[in-house]
Amino acid sequence: MAVTGIGGFFFRSDNPEALAEWYLTHLGVGAPPGVFIWNQQAGPTVFAPFKADSDYFAADKRWMLNLRVDDLDGLIASLTAAGIAVLTKAEWDAPEVGRFARIHDPEGNPIELWEPAAAPPA
C-alpha cells in the first residue's frame, strides 16, 4: 500500500470564493464554483520540506505552492498583461531541472511557476 499522489491542497483564505476565482482565471487552477475536482496532467511533483531558516521563499511564509506549467513565457505574458507582478532570476533556472518564475496571489501567498526541462530525445 502506498500513496499515489497529492489528493488536495487546502489553505485558509480571507475570501475563499474570490481567491478561487483568481486562481482559476489567471492560472487555470481549480474548478468552477460548486465543482471541487481539478483534473491535472500527470507529471513530476516535488515534495520537499525546507529548513525553517531557508531563504528559498519568504521567511514569514510556512509554504510555497509550486505549479508545473508547459509554457512559462506565455503564462508570464498573460500574468503581466493582467497586472500581476512576475519575478524571474537567471540563477533559479537550470537546464537539467527547468525554468522558474514567482508570483503572489491576491492574499500574498507565494507561488512558484515551474516549466520542467524538456525530456532528452530517446
Side-chain angles (χ1 to χ4, degrees):
M1 178 169 41
V3 172
T4 60
I6 294 174
F9 180 70
F10 309 104
F11 57 102
R12 299 181 194 282
S13 170
D14 294 329
N15 187 336
E17 294 80 17
L19 195 57
E21 179 63 28
W22 184 90
Y23 274 89
L24 187 59
T25 298
H26 297 291
L27 299 172
V29 173
V35 179
F36 296 101
I37 301 296
W38 167 47
N39 289 311
Q40 55 189 311
Q41 295 178 2
T45 299
V46 176
F47 182 84
F50 283 72
K51 290 187 173 195
D53 62 352
S54 171
D55 63 356
Y56 192 68
F57 53 94
D60 66 332
K61 300 295 182 184
R62 298 286 300 166
W63 58 270
M64 178 174 64
L65 178 61
N66 174 293
L67 298 173
R68 190 176 57 244
V69 305
D70 63 5
D71 178 7
L72 186 59
D73 291 330
L75 184 54
I76 288 172
S78 174
L79 293 168
T80 302
I84 298 168
V86 179
L87 178 62
T88 60
K89 291 186 179 181
E91 62 264 22
W92 292 343
D93 300 343
E96 66 280 1
V97 177
R99 299 174 50 227
F100 297 88
R102 303 250 178 105
I103 63 173
H104 289 86
D105 72 20
E107 294 189 6
N109 297 309
I111 303 166
E112 182 173 66
L113 306 171
W114 170 40
E115 182 177 9

